[in-house]
Amino acid sequence: MVLRIFVTGPVGVGKTTLVERVAKEADRWGYIVGGMITQEVRRGGRRVGFKITALDTGEEGTLASIRGTSHLPGVPFGKYIVHVDEIERVGVSAIRRALVEADLIVIDEIGPMEYKSDEFAKAVGEVLKSEKPLLAVVHRKFADRFRPLGELHALSFENRNAEFGIILDKVMKELKGIRG
């Protein structure tokens, strides 16, 4: 069975940091890592939105912004506007390229904002049907949905460093198996 690791946990526990560290380590060993990372955008110490970055190209897009702060079209989601076009332009494109080109696919994050895009949901489905290893952050509301599809690792402030080592070890073993 292909490796599928899903990371979940509370806001600010270090899910994205863990995934980025694993991706950088795999890259350092010469493996091709593709997919997307989502990060908070802060101004004056307060979160004003989220950006998406394609791991292969570095291209960035705006996933969501506080209502009234962006000219981009989108779908209301709480106090944010989710920019579906940006998710598809940057995130979905990066995931689909990773399906073809990458040794490891990273998706950060699989969550309710991203699922406002039907194309994002389809791309996640394509990854889950593929033979490519996946390392993904899943929103805590989606943890039970993804638990049966792979290994679910729940991060806490107490276990995040140990979990990094465990996850890195599993990913590297899988990647070494791909190349023989």
Side-chain angles (χ1 to χ4, degrees), residues 62-118:
T62 303
L63 167 68
S65 52
I66 290 180
R67 290 178 190 230
T69 63
S70 174
H71 64 283
L72 296 169
V75 178
F77 185 88
K79 68 178 182 177
Y80 296 101
I81 295 291
V82 176
H83 307 293
V84 174
D85 291 350
E86 292 284 284
I87 294 170
E88 294 172 0
R89 181 179 66 81
V90 178
V92 173
S93 297
I95 293 167
R96 292 217 165 109
R97 284 192 306 274
L99 273 164
V100 175
E101 302 166 2
D103 298 313
L104 172 66
I105 299 174
V106 171
I107 304 176
D108 171 32
E109 166 176 277
I110 300 172
M113 282 188 181
E114 292 83 0
Y115 264 74
K116 293 292 182 189
S117 162
D118 291 339

Side-chain angles (χ1 to χ4, degrees), residues 4-177:
R4 307 262 186 256
I5 295 179
F6 303 107
V7 178
T8 193
V11 172
V13 78
K15 300 177 295 289
T16 297
T17 300
L18 181 145
V19 167
E20 281 183 307
R21 286 176 65 200
V22 171
K24 283 180 181 149
E25 193 63 22
D27 179 67
R28 196 172 70 80
W29 282 91
Y31 295 100
I32 299 167
V33 180
M36 59 171 259
I37 295 283
T38 302
Q39 296 170 307
E40 289 185 343
V41 175
R42 292 188 163 272
R43 286 199 194 100
R46 118 176 214 271
R47 184 168 70 194
V48 295
F50 299 90
K51 72 176 181 176
I52 315 165
T53 305
L55 287 170
D56 60 343
T57 64
E59 182 180 20
E60 292 184 351
T62 303
L63 167 68
S65 52
I66 290 180
R67 290 178 190 230
T69 63
S70 174
H71 64 283
L72 296 169
V75 178
F77 185 88
K79 68 178 182 177
Y80 296 101
I81 295 291
V82 176
H83 307 293
V84 174
D85 291 350
E86 292 284 284
I87 294 170
E88 294 172 0
R89 181 179 66 81
V90 178
V92 173
S93 297
I95 293 167
R96 292 217 165 109
R97 284 192 306 274
L99 273 164
V100 175
E101 302 166 2
D103 298 313
L104 172 66
I105 299 174
V106 171
I107 304 176
D108 171 32
E109 166 176 277
I110 300 172
M113 282 188 181
E114 292 83 0
Y115 264 74
K116 293 292 182 189
S117 162
D118 291 339
E119 286 303 310
F120 178 85
K122 284 182 198 166
V124 170
E126 290 164 21
V127 171
L128 292 171
K129 289 178 189 145
S130 79
E131 293 299 311
K132 300 271 180 148
L134 170 65
L135 174 58
V137 171
V138 293
H139 189 279
R140 63 189 176 277
K141 290 181 180 173
F142 287 20
D144 288 338
R145 183 186 305 183
F146 284 87
R147 183 184 316 272
L149 304 176
E151 297 179 19
L152 183 68
H153 293 256
L155 289 193
S156 67
F157 290 102
E158 295 77 28
N159 76 359
R160 64 185 180 183
N161 291 328
E163 284 291 331
F164 166 73
I166 291 165
I167 292 168
L168 178 63
D169 186 54
K170 288 177 185 256
V171 167
M172 295 309 291
K173 279 185 181 153
E174 179 82 2
L175 292 174
K176 287 174 184 162

